[in-house]
Amino acid sequence: MAIANKNIIFVAGLGGIGLDTSREIVKSGPKNLVILDRIENPTAIAELKALNPKVTVTFYPYDVTVPVAETTKLLKTIFAKLKTVDLLINGAGILDDHQIERTIAVNFTGTVNTTTAIMDFWDKRKGGPGGVIANICSVTGFNAIYQVPVYSASKAAALSFTNSLARLAPITGVTAYSINPGITRTPLVHKFNSWLDVEPRVGELLLEHPTQTTLECAQNFVKAIEANQNGAIWQLD
């Protein structure tokens, strides 16, 4: 899918990988980039607008842990303004196995709920035009970091959900693929908590492996968007 002149919603588009990916998307010239994130970053939004003045960049505060009905309400506002949305990127994620409930809520339930909400607007059984979903999962979804089993399992669940979405495309008209970054140098991995403190140095040990920058990951992310292969499991590493 060529990004040029498309309308894109990016959940968590101001995070580590998210912000660099937003920059790369804006360079590719979409019509609209709507960023939904928990914390506003006016400096980053201003930078994105300046990067390509032809692109309309909009921000809405959004916490992926809210109920589906609240997400649907926000999407109604966005669809009323844009009329059509071509791509939804679900990118919210946390890495902290002390926060078990929140890890599952953000990494898995949030992806499910946001996807469920947008189906009201896209599902061809309801007269919708269809759409494309890109879910940011992780290589831990198929190769767990065993010291953070809650995080790894939440990403495996998101990956499985995405694979099912792709198989449902003939029914819903909505295609999907997963983006699975390898070890990326973001604040997320510098220091984090293992489950039951089984490995206090897990962050340090992880960074002893080959890593990539957020820019390298973002550039490959854009390639995956443009390839637009339903059911693809992209490993960005």
Side-chain angles (χ1 to χ4, degrees):
M1 180 184 81
I3 291 173
N5 297 315
K6 296 296 192 298
N7 291 333
I8 299 171
I9 296 176
F10 194 165
V11 179
L14 298 179
I17 292 172
L19 182 53
D20 264 331
T21 303
S22 290
R23 291 184 180 112
E24 294 303 304
I25 288 172
V26 167
K27 289 177 188 175
S28 299
K31 186 175 182 182
N32 285 278
L33 176 61
V34 179
I35 295 178
L36 310 183
D37 217 317
R38 197 168 59 88
I39 299 172
E40 188 171 4
N41 185 338
T43 303
I45 296 296
E47 180 202 335
L48 291 171
K49 289 179 177 179
L51 201 57
N52 189 345
K54 293 180 179 178
V55 180
T56 301
V57 179
T58 313
F59 172 84
Y60 293 91
Y62 179 56
D63 185 332
V64 297
T65 64
V66 301
V68 174
E70 197 168 324
T71 303
T72 303
K73 188 177 177 181
L74 174 58
L75 290 175
K76 279 182 181 176
T77 300
I78 295 169
F79 273 82
K81 185 176 179 182
L82 302 186
K83 307 307 178 192
T84 61
V85 173
D86 303 289
L87 171 67
L88 167 66
I89 302 171
N90 284 311
I94 63 167
L95 175 49
D96 183 350
D97 262 31
H98 283 185
Q99 298 188 60
I100 293 172
E101 291 182 357
R102 183 158 180 81
T103 294
I104 295 167
V106 172
N107 295 356
F108 178 56
T109 310
T111 294
V112 174
N113 287 357
T114 307
T115 299
T116 301
I118 207 167
M119 286 295 179
D120 276 351
F121 306 88
W122 273 354
D123 194 329
K124 71 178 185 181
R125 295 171 300 167
K126 297 182 178 183
V132 181
I133 293 174
N135 288 332
I136 301 181
C137 301
S138 168
V139 294
T140 61
F142 40 84
N143 184 18
I145 302 173
Y146 62 88
Q147 300 96 331
V148 282
V150 180
Y151 173 82
S152 298
S154 70
K155 290 298 188 178
L159 177 60
S160 176
F161 176 67
T162 309
N163 293 342
S164 294
L165 290 175
R167 296 284 295 273
L168 290 169
I171 297 170
T172 64
V174 177
T175 60
Y177 51 85
S178 63
I179 301 295
N180 300 277
I183 304 170
T184 309
R185 294 194 294 277
T186 72
L188 206 66
V189 300
H190 288 160
K191 185 172 177 15
F192 56 90
N193 296 308
S194 63
W195 180 68
L196 301 179
D197 293 321
V198 291
E199 176 48 78
R201 295 181 57 246
V202 62
E204 294 172 45
L205 294 174
L206 195 64
L207 289 173
E208 290 177 2
H209 293 274
T211 61
Q212 65 184 344
T213 66
T214 53
L215 177 58
E216 287 168 328
C217 187
Q219 289 169 338
N220 283 323
F221 196 153
V222 166
K223 290 178 184 177
I225 292 171
E226 291 173 341
N228 194 29
Q229 294 181 16
N230 184 44
I233 301 173
W234 295 103
Q235 182 173 338
L236 311 186
D237 211 349

